[in-house]
Amino acid sequence: MNEPPDAAIQLAGLIFAVLLLDGRGTIVQANPAAENLFGQSEKRLAGKEAFALLNFENDRFRQQFHAGEVRLIARSVAAEVNDRRMSVNLTISPVGTDPSWYVMTISENIGNETGYAAEDRSLVGAPNILGHEIKNPLSAIRGAAQLLARKIGPGEMKLSDIITREVDRIADIIDRMQQLGSRGALDTRPSNLHGIVRNAIATVRAARSTTTEADAVIVEEFDPSLPPVLADAATLEQVLINLLVNACDASVDSHDRTVVVQTRYASGLSFKAIRFGRAVRLPIEIAVIDRGAGIAPGIAERVFDPFVSSKPKGQGLGLALARKLVEDMQGRISHTRDEKRGETSFRIHLPMAE
């Protein structure tokens, strides 16, 4: 039987942040997930106060820690890290062999970001069932509108066209709902990431070239040394087109209409997502960044939920579908807002091809 991995290797493999604190709450050690959470290496984190980096809206955790109440467990606590608001689960406990040292664990409370939650699994077939039941009468309505168009005069043709157009729009929404509920396996294989990104950029530029007002300028900031990514090329291109269109739309009323597409190898910030019963390293990062007004605070935490949209005429399915497709490629997608820089970022993390 092989020797089990030592404690350091076990901690490095955890998907939630672990910090070793001294009696003053100062960070002494941090695992890779903590480096990812705070965006700093273990060397930079060492010597900093944990509660200064993890800024809770309620200061009672810091107070309890310094008052000696060091066995703390909290769920769904509002906090801010690097100007990003999030909900976290927190534990603090003394090290059994030496109670002058403490272990803090932090996990982001993101629902089904790393996999489908139980309620999602129970409803996964609902869009397909609902879509099937709605599409049948829609086909009949569309057919009736086409027959009616042959018998009415030119003055009423506009009404017939409205019926046909709205039926097609509803059918399109249903198609996207059914995609959300599907569980088909994607054809992930080693792919040229920059080729996929450039195809998506070219599609968006071509589609928006006829706009009558000044549009966003898409800028590439690529890491040329990136290895092949493990992805379904067509699916990833679809996701990127969605993000780029959203970013361009958000930039229309901004003084800076630059949309930046970045790629990089996040070696020190590896993500691990529990998917298909195993951990997956996700070091390939694609970021779409705009300098628009950002997503309304009231929906920012639910931006990937179906039917949640900040657009006046948005259906709220684009980002939900993007998350679903990225997860089907064993990846992760996240949203952050940096108020100091005035930037909204959507970041995709995907596996590297072996």
Side-chain angles (χ1 to χ4, degrees):
M1 181 177 178
N2 295 332
E3 287 293 323
D6 63 26
I9 295 175
Q10 294 179 46
L11 287 173
L14 294 175
I15 63 172
F16 54 84
V18 180
L19 300 174
L20 176 64
L21 312 179
D22 64 16
R24 295 171 297 177
T26 302
I27 299 172
V28 179
Q29 293 180 353
N31 73 337
E35 293 179 315
N36 167 48
L37 176 66
F38 295 108
Q40 300 181 46
S41 66
E42 182 182 35
K43 185 176 180 180
R44 288 185 176 273
L45 288 171
K48 296 181 179 179
E49 186 190 355
F51 290 103
L53 294 173
L54 194 64
N55 186 18
F56 294 104
E57 289 187 358
N58 190 327
D59 198 43
R60 65 187 176 91
F61 302 112
R62 184 204 298 264
Q63 295 171 357
Q64 287 176 305
F65 179 84
H66 290 296
E69 300 177 38
V70 292
R71 291 185 180 274
L72 303 175
I73 300 175
R75 293 185 59 82
S76 302
V77 180
E80 187 173 299
V81 178
N82 296 332
D83 298 316
R84 178 191 173 203
R85 294 173 57 82
M86 61 178 67
S87 174
V88 301
N89 303 322
L90 173 76
T91 70
I92 303 176
S93 56
V95 176
T97 56
D98 190 343
S100 63
W101 295 93
Y102 306 95
V103 173
M104 173 187 282
T105 69
I106 310 141
S107 58
E108 191 171 358
N109 188 21
I110 317 181
N112 64 356
E113 181 184 57
T114 55
Y116 289 96
E119 58 268 28
D120 291 333
R121 288 194 296 268
S122 66
L123 295 174
V124 72
N128 287 327
I129 297 171
L130 182 64
H132 178 75
E133 294 299 320
I134 293 176
K135 275 186 173 180
N136 285 337
L138 278 181
S139 297
I141 293 171
R142 195 181 197 285
Q146 290 174 330
L147 289 174
L148 186 62
R150 299 175 186 175
K151 300 180 180 181
I152 58 179
E156 290 81 25
M157 283 294 293
K158 184 182 292 185
L159 296 176
S160 174
D161 291 342
I162 290 174
I163 294 173
T164 303
R165 185 171 65 251
E166 289 303 299
V167 166
D168 289 343
R169 186 178 66 85
I170 295 170
D172 179 65
I173 294 173
I174 293 170
D175 286 340
R176 298 175 79 182
M177 286 176 56
Q178 289 179 312
Q179 280 186 282
L180 281 174
S182 69
R183 284 291 185 87
L186 294 177
D187 183 21
T188 57
R189 58 180 63 187
S191 305
N192 180 340
L193 176 62
H194 294 146
I196 296 171
V197 176
R198 287 194 170 109
N199 286 344
I201 291 174
T203 299
V204 173
R205 282 175 174 161
R208 301 177 74 91
S209 62
T210 58
T211 182
T212 57
E213 56 185 296
D215 202 7
V217 176
I218 302 175
V219 176
E220 300 174 359
E221 294 183 2
F222 293 168
D223 178 352
S225 64
L226 280 184
V229 66
L230 186 64
D232 182 295
T235 298
L236 181 55
E237 185 176 328
Q238 177 185 349
V239 171
L240 290 171
I241 289 172
N242 184 293
L243 296 182
L244 286 165
V245 168
N246 286 349
C248 290
D249 288 344
S251 302
V252 168
D253 297 323
S254 174
H255 69 281
D256 186 346
R257 294 177 176 174
T258 304
V259 172
V260 179
V261 185
Q262 293 179 343
T263 64
R264 68 167 184 151
Y265 187 89
S267 57
L269 304 176
S270 315
F271 289 91
K272 287 182 169 49
I274 298 301
R275 198 79 163 98
F276 309 112
R278 59 189 177 91
V280 182
R281 291 184 64 248
L282 308 174
I284 306 296
E285 178 182 288
I286 315 113
V288 177
I289 305 166
D290 70 75
R291 297 184 175 94
I295 294 170
I299 64 171
E301 294 183 359
R302 299 182 294 117
V303 72
F304 293 107
D305 291 348
F307 308 112
V308 174
S309 176
S310 59
K311 294 182 179 181
K313 297 182 180 180
Q315 299 167 359
L317 290 173
L319 289 177
L321 181 58
R323 181 182 68 173
K324 191 264 180 189
L325 295 175
V326 170
E327 288 179 347
D328 283 350
M329 290 186 285
Q330 304 183 46
R332 177 187 191 269
I333 184 170
S334 60
H335 158 264
T336 58
R337 174 67 182 175
D338 186 335
E339 291 295 348
K340 291 181 180 178
R341 297 173 62 91
E343 293 181 346
T344 299
S345 303
F346 283 86
R347 298 182 185 276
I348 298 171
H349 290 89
L350 292 169
M352 177 181 68
E354 297 296 335

